[in-house]
Amino acid sequence: HAPVDHFAFPSSNLTFRQKYYVNKEHYVSGGPVFFQLGGEGPVKGPPRGYIAALAAEHKALLVQVEHRFYGESVPNGNVDTKLKAGTKWFAFGGSYPGALSAWFRAAYPEKTVGSLSSSGVVNAIFNFWGFDSHIARVMTPTCAEGARRVTKLFENAILARGHKERKAKVLFKASNDLIDGDFFYMLADGMQMMVQYGGKSRLCSTLTDLPRDDDEAMEAVAALITSEWGQDFGSMCFYDTNCLSDPSRYVVGGTDRSWRWQKCYELAYLQAAPLPGQHEDGLPLPPTLRSYLVNLTYAVDQCNQIFGNINVDRGTTAASAARINAKFGGPQPKASRVFYSNFGDDPWLEASVMPPRDVDLNQPYEMANCDDCGHCMDFGTPQDSDPPELKKVRSRFEVYLKHWLDTPV
């Protein structure tokens, strides 16, 4: 059982059941604990892949804990493992848990000897237009133009209303009352997450060879997206403001509403379209890939519609993100003994350490800059066929892992 409020404990003794998994397969008494932080979704087992391979090498105990308000770890809503005194804990996290693994080191440096922050989104960005711009930059020009054509074709159909709108939405099994911003957020995510997770080549093979017929082009992309993410991708609650606003349709512990609340009132990362003519560091941004209907007004209004206008100040989301960054350092984290790994195609690296280099001697950074190198790629099970850029990231991390395990904090 975990305290509902750690900062009120033990004066408030309210607790909740928080799920965690333990794997003792490789553990030898006195070995370290490799502790993986859960994120914005249910946890289904102990650490696997690369972390499990490292555990075999270092004779480590494997532990993964589920984040509160996800899966079955819902407040209000074990098995003991005895460890040798002085056991060293090493934290692992990828994506949002990657940020948590760095922030945990900043807040409680005495609890672990180090951490790996894979694709760690340590910089809470309010207006995260950089997500779209990064995708546009790593695509070939022909692929990017294919994505823009698809977006425009669906805009023409949806905004025409009537039969054309229904025909476009049925390709994704989307509700006809799905609001425009929701539909185009879903469409953008369907394509751009393929790049994020290392599938740029598969996406671009379709986008660079679209049928000339507009209807056939739309059908081809819809078929690709639903094949990649599931037939219910366009009908699930995650992209539907009306569904998210209705508590009776919410599955307790699900990802959709919990993660939306964290974005709205803690972390932001609101993925708005870059504006026409927008510049960064004096240079023009690539034209947006997503519809301009996916803008900052849409994102903030969605927060208010789902959860109610719990704060009159519309800048609440921005203020919350600013507070997180002030506390933990944003793109230059205030931590030590954290290794940051990132991957060239992943748009979330724009919310990671910036500039993309070592923060300091105790916070090294390494990026695998290669085609189809995506989000948290180093957490997969190592293979001989892995790209050399990925092998370099792991090799450098393992030097720090051994050093931090062997060196007192």
Side-chain angles (χ1 to χ4, degrees):
H1 286 74
V4 171
D5 186 345
H6 286 269
F7 300 99
F9 192 83
S11 58
S12 171
N13 60 3
L14 294 175
T15 62
F16 72 101
R17 291 175 62 82
Q18 187 168 21
K19 180 187 281 187
Y20 65 94
Y21 288 91
V22 177
N23 183 347
K24 305 177 186 178
E25 178 183 358
H26 307 296
Y27 180 61
V28 174
S29 180
V33 177
F34 287 176
F35 175 57
Q36 184 172 3
L37 293 153
E40 65 278 28
V43 165
K44 299 180 180 179
R48 295 176 292 181
Y50 181 49
I51 303 173
L54 291 171
E57 179 182 349
H58 292 275
K59 300 177 174 58
L61 183 72
L62 287 164
V63 179
Q64 181 163 208
V65 65
E66 192 167 68
H67 196 297
R68 63 172 62 202
F69 289 107
Y70 294 96
E72 298 176 37
S73 301
V74 181
N76 305 321
N78 71 60
V79 175
D80 293 330
T81 300
K82 293 184 178 180
L83 300 173
K84 188 174 179 180
T87 294
K88 296 174 181 178
W89 289 66
F90 198 99
F92 293 81
S95 192
Y96 163 56
L100 289 179
S101 72
W103 297 341
F104 189 75
R105 284 287 310 149
Y108 307 104
E110 74 284 1
K111 299 296 186 183
T112 60
V113 297
S115 74
L116 170 59
S117 174
S118 174
S119 301
V121 288
V122 293
N123 188 15
I125 300 173
F126 174 54
N127 184 0
F128 192 23
W129 47 261
F131 189 99
D132 190 276
S133 294
H134 183 90
I135 297 284
R137 289 191 183 107
V138 301
M139 285 177 161
T140 64
T142 305
C143 181
E145 283 307 310
R148 294 185 185 103
R149 180 191 168 199
V150 168
T151 298
K152 187 63 178 176
L153 290 176
F154 276 101
E155 280 183 335
N156 291 343
I158 296 295
L159 299 180
R161 306 306 179 197
H163 172 71
K164 289 186 177 181
E165 178 183 14
R166 290 192 296 274
K167 185 177 178 182
K169 287 182 174 178
V170 80
L171 293 174
F172 293 96
K173 299 182 180 178
S175 167
N176 203 51
D177 63 359
L178 189 69
I179 67 174
D180 294 343
D182 290 348
F183 180 87
F184 287 106
Y185 183 22
M186 178 272 297
L187 177 66
D189 248 14
M191 291 189 284
Q192 295 184 6
M193 285 197 306
M194 290 188 67
V195 180
Q196 173 183 334
Y197 287 109
K200 179 177 70 178
S201 295
R202 294 197 309 279
L203 174 66
C204 287
S205 68
T206 294
L207 294 180
T208 57
D209 192 28
L210 288 170
R212 291 189 177 185
D213 180 83
D214 291 347
D215 288 342
E216 291 179 6
M218 295 164 67
E219 290 166 4
V221 171
L224 175 67
I225 290 172
T226 54
S227 173
E228 186 75 18
W229 305 117
Q231 294 299 312
D232 65 342
F233 185 72
S235 60
M236 62 183 181
C237 200
F238 189 88
Y239 296 103
D240 188 339
T241 300
N242 293 322
C243 178
L244 291 166
S245 303
D246 183 355
S248 69
R249 298 169 68 182
Y250 173 60
V251 178
V252 174
T255 298
D256 37 26
R257 189 174 168 93
S258 296
W259 180 236
R260 194 68 91 252
W261 191 94
Q262 285 196 265
K263 290 182 68 173
C264 288
Y265 296 114
E266 291 182 337
L267 300 166
Y269 311 125
L270 304 182
Q271 296 164 30
L275 298 174
Q278 186 173 342
H279 285 62
E280 178 189 20
D281 298 331
L283 298 174
L285 295 177
T288 183
L289 301 175
R290 63 188 58 209
S291 171
Y292 288 118
L293 295 170
V294 188
N295 53 47
L296 201 56
T297 299
Y298 154 74
V300 173
D301 285 349
Q302 184 190 58
C303 290
N304 291 334
Q305 183 172 337
I306 295 171
F307 302 108
N309 192 9
I310 64 173
N311 289 286
V312 176
D313 178 12
R314 285 175 63 86
T316 293
T317 307
S320 296
R323 283 193 295 272
I324 289 283
N325 289 337
K327 183 172 183 177
F328 294 114
Q332 290 285 290
K334 302 174 184 178
S336 65
R337 292 188 172 210
V338 181
F339 188 98
Y340 301 94
S341 58
N342 272 290
F343 306 91
D345 277 357
D346 182 17
W348 287 103
L349 72 79
E350 301 290 343
S352 188
V353 169
M354 284 289 166
R357 57 174 182 254
D358 291 359
V359 179
D360 53 44
L361 291 176
N362 281 312
Q363 293 191 95
Y365 176 103
E366 193 73 33
M367 180 169 69
N369 197 6
C370 44
D371 285 330
D372 293 332
C373 282
H375 202 57
C376 303
M377 189 179 187
D378 50 345
F379 274 16
T381 302
Q383 306 288 339
D384 291 340
S385 58
D386 287 336
E389 295 88 349
L390 172 58
K391 292 179 179 179
K392 180 183 176 184
V393 170
R394 287 178 173 149
S395 178
R396 188 176 181 212
F397 165 67
E398 288 166 25
V399 171
Y400 282 91
L401 172 63
K402 184 178 187 306
H403 176 65
W404 290 337
L405 286 173
D406 292 344
T407 308
V409 177

